[in-house]
Amino acid sequence: GWVYGINTFGAVAGTLLAGFWLLPAFGIRQSLLMAGSIDLAVGVVCLAIGLMRGAEGRREREGGSSRSAALGMTRGGAPGWSEQVRRGFLVAALGGAAALILEVAWFRALMSIFGSSVYAISLMLAAFLLGISGGAIFGSPRIGRGRGAGPLLSRLHTQIAFTSTLVTFLLQIIPLGYIVLLERFGESFPLVSLGTSALLLVTLIVPTFLMGMALPAAIAWGAADDSEGESVSSAGRIYAGSSLGSAAGALAAGFLLVPMGGVRGAVIAAASLSLAAAYIALRAAADRAARRSAARLAAATAIVWGVWLGGLLPWNWRVLTGGHYAYAHLYTGYEAMPAGPTKRRVTLTRPFPFVDESFTPRARPIDLEAEPRLLSWRDGRYAQVAVTEEAGIRTILLNGKADASTATADMRTQLLLGHLPVLLAPDDPAGTAMIIGLGSGVTAGAVAAWPFRSIVAAEIEPEVVRAARFFREENRDVLADPRTRLRVDDGRRILARTRDPITLLTSEPSNLWMSGVSLLFTREFFELAASRLGERGVFCQWLHLYQIGEEDVRTFLATLSSVFPHLIVFSDEADLLIVASRQPLVLDPEVWWRRLGGNDAARLALAEVGIRSAADLAGGILADERGVRRWAAGAPLHTDDRPILEFSAARNMSFDRSRQILASLARAGEQAGPIALGASGEIGPALP
């Protein structure tokens, strides 16, 4: 128990060191080398100890000691699988499977509260492992050796089933504590991290402490009939059972239980496995009092689940899809004021209207009195995906964070991601277009409004594809378009496997601070995109400005401009749309007007969200490649090995510096000089 507990405590230390120091400071390669060096040092020390003990053994054998003979007897042969060892193996396997199912299920629910940054995941894992470590270290001395450990083992597993049920129910109140934490200490990343650790530890400590006691108890019980020499081999087999069960539980939870049954369905499965382990441990014991106690606790667990699933206890979708981490800046109230204007003056010889003055946008029905509705709520393989409707606005939520909606501002961003790169592209639209990140499908639908031969829509989460069907009207039913090829896989992998040349690539992944997402913002990804686009293809990248810092944006633009020589930075409220190419982009209102003039669907869609003329479109441009390089000079690059944005952005989640960043970019663009708009005008100084 001590060895297991100390080993797990080392895992806690490794988790925190990797997440909070090694990866941010040294990158992936150096962190792996450091971990390998630690293993190497441990191996060298063990080898030295073994050589020293071997020398002592030789001296003892030369002296003919009785101890040497005894050692020879106990090491003579491996013991067989006794019935007791088999039972211990099975109980440990069931317990390991239950523990990992709970870990996966709880983490899925907790990510909708605390987010899925490397920091958040490190804290969740550390809290889970710390409870196990504490249970093994402090609980092991209370475990008696022999068959008498069976009743204790049974009691531990019934308590795990019951307390894990209660913890799952109590997940609904954690956001209250997290909101208070953000309101009071949100501007201090260390204090928020410490407070988050405390919340997680208080939530998970009881069931994880019991899990930590359960494995040493299983070894004590399963190896009860062994001699001193055999007990080491039996302990190894029972520990192997726990590890095999853990592997099976992790796979089952991630690929079957959570996607098919949701968080509660997975926890029910884990509780059932714990009760099965308790039954096996108690079946061979003659302790009637222990049997009655286990039966009562198992019945209490079943009653709680029955009442809960029957609807008498809440499972509040509004709380569990709240995405509290994604709105941390609203709880803290921190909004940086702009140090100057956030737009530049547009001068045109004529307005180049996309629609005539009589155009009236469609009125969207808004009912502020209507009750919010949950249209869909599924736990997918990679994220919790929900579709809600409130005041007539439909929204897709990924882990509680709104990723797309029918609100006018969101619709404008989604439409511009499809239309803007077409309008700025060196050539008229043709060939193959690709969209990374399906979301609501509105961007894919915007691209489909143009005469591309084929359209590849890449989406990693299958549940997002289902959710997009709630937006058929807005996305022009793009998935039914015969040109559309849906690919459900990692977007970067799809792009790497694509051999056909691409003329347009739009990338709209989720936020930078989500673990793994930043790999769609690295220099290597941009190089891959450039290689698939060729010399005249055009790339469009979305970047949020809320909850990241100015240095993060400088790093991103420095990385992108290191691959693409020509850039246009377009602002859309708190978002940036960056269009890039190896060839000069088309900044000519006459070309925009001509391209839209032959495309009623695109022209009217943009007019619906406020882009009704070339002046409106040009008004969003902040800088070209000259301003970008001036502003981002000296910023470090974001790479696969050093994904620095994933860590730095996560430290800014309590702040909204979007207007400050826009003002800084506008000033850099102004200092770089006017941007010519063909022969029709220019983008000049920043607006007063």
Side-chain angles (χ1 to χ4, degrees):
W2 271 88
V3 171
Y4 173 58
I6 292 170
N7 173 259
T8 308
F9 186 78
V12 174
T15 296
L16 295 175
L17 280 172
F20 282 80
W21 179 51
L22 292 176
L23 288 169
F26 300 102
I28 295 171
R29 180 174 177 272
Q30 291 296 327
S31 297
L32 288 172
L33 288 173
M34 290 181 188
S37 299
I38 293 171
D39 275 325
L40 186 62
V42 171
V44 169
V45 170
C46 290
L47 183 61
I49 293 172
L51 291 172
M52 290 167 54
R53 288 188 175 178
E56 291 175 2
R58 283 194 298 274
R59 285 195 296 270
E60 288 177 354
R61 284 195 297 274
E62 289 168 0
S65 72
S66 59
R67 181 173 179 273
S68 176
L71 284 170
M73 289 176 62
T74 59
R75 295 173 182 168
W81 283 79
S82 68
E83 184 64 27
Q84 193 69 11
V85 172
R86 287 193 183 94
R87 290 189 186 124
F89 179 93
L90 183 55
V91 168
L94 291 171
L100 265 291
I101 290 170
L102 289 171
E103 181 180 341
V104 172
W106 285 341
F107 282 20
R108 173 59 60 81
L110 290 168
M111 281 192 286
S112 70
I113 301 168
F114 300 108
S116 58
S117 69
V118 172
Y119 297 123
I121 293 173
S122 296
L123 291 176
M124 293 176 208
L125 183 57
F128 193 91
L129 293 175
L130 193 59
I132 292 176
S133 174
I137 291 173
F138 298 106
S140 293
R142 293 164 178 79
I143 300 171
R145 179 169 173 86
R147 292 180 180 270
L152 171 62
L153 184 58
S154 174
R155 189 162 61 250
L156 288 172
H157 279 293
T158 52
Q159 289 170 347
I160 289 169
F162 184 72
T163 56
S164 62
T165 299
L166 295 183
V167 164
T168 306
F169 177 75
L170 293 174
L171 291 176
Q172 299 172 93
I173 67 171
I174 296 178
L176 299 176
Y178 188 53
I179 289 170
V180 171
L181 178 66
L182 290 172
E183 289 174 342
R184 294 188 179 180
F185 308 109
E187 295 182 23
S188 170
F189 177 76
L191 290 178
V192 170
S193 297
L194 286 172
T196 300
S197 301
L199 280 172
L200 289 166
L201 197 57
V202 168
T203 303
L204 303 177
I205 188 63
V206 175
T208 54
F209 190 92
L210 296 170
M211 293 174 199
M213 288 184 66
L215 180 57
I219 292 173
W221 179 67
D225 298 333
D226 290 347
S227 65
E228 184 177 350
E230 294 174 333
S231 62
V232 173
S233 179
S234 297
R237 289 174 174 179
I238 294 168
Y239 186 79
S242 174
S243 297
L244 287 171
S246 298
L251 288 170
F255 287 92
L256 294 174
L257 296 174
V258 172
M260 294 175 64
V263 170
R264 288 197 297 179
V267 175
I268 289 173
S272 300
L273 291 175
S274 293
L275 292 176
Y279 173 75
I280 294 169
L282 201 56
R283 188 174 60 177
D287 192 330
R288 292 185 177 179
R291 289 186 176 186
R292 286 195 296 270
S293 175
R296 283 195 294 267
L297 203 51
T301 304
I303 290 170
V304 171
W305 277 112
V307 171
W308 197 4
L309 295 176
L312 298 179
L313 290 174
W315 186 236
N316 193 321
W317 67 267
R318 298 209 71 183
V319 172
L320 294 164
T321 61
H324 304 85
Y325 67 96
Y327 307 103
H329 58 298
L330 302 180
Y331 297 121
T332 62
Y334 184 97
E335 184 178 7
M337 292 297 102
T342 59
K343 295 282 185 182
R344 295 179 66 179
R345 186 186 301 280
V346 176
T347 304
L348 289 175
T349 56
R350 57 193 180 99
F352 295 99
F354 299 153
V355 291
D356 58 41
E357 294 181 359
S358 63
F359 174 82
T360 304
R362 289 178 300 165
R364 290 185 173 273
I366 296 178
D367 185 0
L368 298 178
E369 301 298 324
E371 282 292 318
R373 292 197 303 151
L374 179 66
L375 304 179
S376 174
W377 182 15
R378 303 286 292 269
D379 284 289
R381 291 181 181 176
Y382 306 101
Q384 175 203 84
V385 182
V387 182
T388 64
E389 187 171 78
E390 188 167 0
I393 295 173
R394 260 167 292 122
T395 304
I396 290 182
L397 302 168
L398 265 62
N399 288 336
K401 189 260 175 192
D403 257 38
S405 82
T406 58
T408 301
D410 279 350
M411 286 294 296
R412 183 175 58 247
T413 302
Q414 295 168 89
L415 289 167
L416 282 169
L417 281 165
H419 295 305
L420 186 64
V422 173
L423 296 176
L424 271 60
D427 302 316
D428 289 342
T432 298
M434 178 182 284
I435 299 93
I436 294 179
L438 179 66
S440 66
V442 171
T443 298
V447 172
W450 297 93
F452 289 100
R453 184 183 69 254
S454 65
I455 300 160
V456 179
E459 173 55 55
I460 193 171
E461 174 53 67
E463 292 303 329
V464 170
V465 177
R466 293 188 179 92
R469 303 189 192 281
F470 287 92
F471 298 81
R472 282 193 179 96
E473 180 183 352
E474 289 78 13
N475 64 34
R476 305 173 72 246
D477 206 6
V478 65
L479 295 179
D481 190 314
R483 297 173 298 159
T484 301
R485 291 180 289 159
L486 177 66
R487 297 288 183 266
V488 181
D489 200 348
D490 175 72
R492 184 163 167 174
R493 181 159 53 214
I494 293 169
L495 183 62
R497 292 175 177 176
T498 299
R499 291 294 173 258
D500 296 336
I502 298 171
T503 55
L504 181 146
L505 174 61
T506 284
S507 179
E508 47 175 334
S510 200
N511 301 73
L512 269 177
W513 23 257
M514 290 187 174
S515 179
V517 170
S518 71
L519 291 176
L520 291 173
F521 292 88
T522 63
R523 180 178 60 189
E524 289 82 358
F525 171 70
F526 297 144
E527 288 171 344
L528 173 63
S531 70
R532 295 294 180 266
L533 287 165
E535 286 299 318
R536 301 188 68 80
V538 63
F539 176 74
C540 185
Q541 175 75 59
W542 170 83
L543 179 70
H544 61 98
L545 295 182
Y546 50 90
Q547 295 185 293
I548 61 175
E550 186 171 322
E551 289 303 308
D552 299 328
V553 184
R554 290 180 68 245
T555 288
F556 163 74
L557 289 176
T559 305
L560 185 61
S561 63
S562 71
V563 175
F564 290 99
H566 300 282
L567 298 168
I568 287 295
V569 179
F570 186 97
S571 71
D572 181 32
E573 294 190 1
D575 298 312
L576 286 186
L577 283 64
I578 302 93
V579 181
S581 178
R582 290 180 173 179
Q583 293 296 318
L585 294 162
V586 175
L587 295 174
D588 190 338
E590 276 205 58
V591 176
W592 305 343
W593 183 67
R594 175 180 58 79
R595 287 178 179 175
L596 282 171
N599 190 330
D600 287 346
R603 182 170 54 83
L604 294 174
L606 286 173
E608 287 279 352
V609 293
I611 309 294
R612 302 180 186 179
S613 69
D616 291 333
L617 192 67
I621 296 176
L622 287 180
D624 60 8
E625 58 270 11
R626 298 170 301 154
V628 166
R629 291 192 173 91
R630 183 186 189 96
W631 190 63
L637 300 186
H638 179 69
T639 66
D640 283 354
D641 183 47
R642 293 293 306 278
I644 53 179
L645 289 177
E646 188 166 332
F647 301 96
S648 60
R651 291 176 172 269
N652 287 288
M653 290 175 63
S654 296
F655 307 96
D656 182 0
R657 297 189 174 94
S658 54
R659 291 199 292 167
Q660 183 184 65
I661 296 168
L662 289 173
S664 183
L665 253 172
R667 187 166 56 250
E670 177 185 38
Q671 292 169 351
I675 300 173
L677 295 175
S680 305
E682 66 177 23
I683 297 170
L687 286 170

